[in-house]
Amino acid sequence: MSASAAVAQQEISLQSFDIRPLAGAPLGAEVLGIDVGRPLSGGDFDRLHQAYLDYGLLIFRDQHLTPAQHIAFSRLWGDLLVHVLHQFQLPGHPEIFVISNIVENGRPVGLADAGKFWHSDLSYVSPPSLGAILYAQELPQEGGDTLFASQQQAYDTLPGVLQRRLEGLRAVHSYTSRYAEEPEVFKGVVRPVLSEAQLAKVESVVHPVVRHHPETGRKGLFVNANFTTHIVDLPDEESRQLLDELFEHSVRPEFIYRHRWQENDLLFWDNRSLIHLATGTPKQFRRRLHRTTIAGEAAV
Ligand code: SIN
């Protein structure tokens, strides 16, 4: 936490808000009655922080934030990472990455296919991110849900023999891992072609296959179908088989919460313990969300 940002302000009054764990879901809690655009007292920050660690996903309802307030709230949790696709940064606010299927004057205003494979945001950088804060701007009448899956529950439910096999294994994560597969998406139709300078910013990185959460110590799987390409030091076929087995296990229905977005929702999730997936939006409906991504620490 950037304790100084929130806690130093003793004079800031506590807000009266509820934290309600999602009934019947394996993760997530709603936070009702708070305005995260106001400066937070240390006490309020501590409650939110503990809930974030306990539930992995906080759903703040009915938020009315300017981009600067979205960024200020995000900065309470750490430094912010700027996405490599500068084409989709919010003008004047590079910390905000626009996710959208809207095309204006022939140009996409945001990345339309963000999150279409299971992933932890920016697992392709080192250190990987702590979390992300996604804010609804315009929602479709149908579709556009986001799924979240607990990777700590996924790890806990692996057979012991597989848990032992994963000990000490490391895997490669690459931003461009899907580029070869979907030329129509990645040759500039949906995603801009990466310049040399952008490619240099997203060279492959290596993380452990199982990571300890830096704050709770809990173990979780840390591989994902979007960015993880192979396991270091394993023959290709064995690596493929093992990753496919882990990918399948990691998204069993009992680990998943499906978020159906409501107007003015702001979601804050933990990329160290969850993966997520955008389910997609029918072409005739507009969807736009603004995301900030918070820097984390090395995965160990
Ligand atoms: C993301 O991966 O951050 C996008 C999630 C979404 O669009 O629902």
Side-chain angles (χ1 to χ4, degrees):
M1 153 191 194
S2 24
S4 54
V7 178
Q9 308 154 19
Q10 300 297 337
E11 73 281 5
I12 295 170
S13 57
L14 292 171
Q15 297 191 51
S16 162
F17 61 92
D18 288 333
I19 298 174
R20 295 194 193 150
L22 298 173
L27 58 97
E30 272 184 314
V31 188
L32 302 167
I34 193 170
D35 174 1
V36 304
R38 281 173 49 189
L40 285 187
S41 68
D44 286 347
F45 180 92
D46 289 345
R47 276 185 75 200
L48 294 178
H49 185 205
Q50 191 56 52
Y52 180 65
L53 296 179
D54 291 344
Y55 304 111
L57 166 71
L58 299 182
I59 300 163
F60 298 92
R61 301 289 190 192
D62 200 29
Q63 298 301 307
H64 299 270
L65 307 179
T66 62
Q69 286 173 314
H70 180 182
I71 291 168
F73 177 64
S74 306
R75 283 215 173 105
L76 294 179
W77 307 92
D79 293 335
L80 301 188
L81 297 170
V82 171
H83 199 279
V84 66
L85 287 181
H86 55 73
Q87 293 88 340
F88 300 137
Q89 292 165 3
L90 186 68
H93 298 285
E95 303 90 345
I96 292 182
F97 182 61
V98 180
I99 293 170
S100 182
N101 62 359
I102 299 170
V103 177
E104 274 169 4
N105 303 319
R107 290 176 62 118
V109 302
L111 182 62
D113 76 334
K116 71 185 239 189
F117 303 103
W118 285 99
H119 66 288
S120 164
D121 296 303
L122 276 68
S123 77
Y124 52 84
V125 300
S126 187
S129 73
L130 174 147
I133 301 186
L134 188 61
Y135 185 27
Q137 305 291 303
E138 189 170 347
L139 297 174
Q141 288 99 313
E142 268 174 43
D145 298 345
T146 309
L147 308 185
F148 294 89
S150 165
Q151 296 310 283
Q152 294 176 336
Q153 293 178 41
Y155 176 79
D156 289 346
T157 52
L158 285 173
V161 66
L162 187 48
Q163 289 181 339
R164 286 188 289 282
R165 185 172 167 211
L166 299 182
E167 267 172 37
L169 289 185
R170 297 177 310 138
V172 176
H173 294 238
S174 164
Y175 180 64
T176 55
S177 83
R178 294 274 174 180
Y179 272 53
E181 285 173 26
E182 294 189 288
E184 77 288 355
V185 170
F186 295 111
K187 285 248 171 67
V189 179
V190 176
R191 290 186 176 224
V193 173
L194 293 178
S195 66
E196 287 299 314
Q198 285 172 311
L199 283 171
K201 287 187 183 153
V202 289
E203 286 180 4
S204 301
V205 298
V206 172
H207 301 302
V209 170
V210 175
R211 74 179 292 184
H212 292 257
H213 193 284
E215 297 187 84
T216 66
R218 259 187 92 177
K219 283 183 180 179
L221 283 178
F222 197 61
V223 288
N224 64 75
N226 196 338
F227 302 127
T228 312
T229 56
H230 60 279
I231 297 184
V232 177
D233 293 336
L234 286 192
D236 285 350
E237 196 175 330
E238 191 181 342
S239 160
R240 187 73 269 147
Q241 275 173 5
L242 182 54
L243 282 179
D244 286 345
E245 185 178 350
L246 294 176
F247 294 160
E248 190 182 338
H249 175 83
S250 66
V251 294
R252 279 180 21 190
E254 59 268 35
F255 310 144
I256 293 178
Y257 160 67
R258 182 181 200 105
H259 186 69
R260 295 180 172 83
W261 288 85
Q262 297 179 16
E263 298 295 324
N264 305 312
D265 273 355
L266 179 92
L267 267 55
F268 176 27
W269 64 82
D270 194 333
N271 276 320
R272 303 165 297 184
S273 59
L274 307 182
I275 54 175
H276 62 283
L277 173 84
T279 59
T281 303
K283 283 198 173 36
Q284 67 272 31
F285 298 126
R286 290 161 62 100
R287 182 177 191 261
R288 177 182 174 129
L289 304 102
H290 287 176
R291 192 183 83 196
T292 54
T293 311
I294 299 145
E297 53 197 272
V300 288

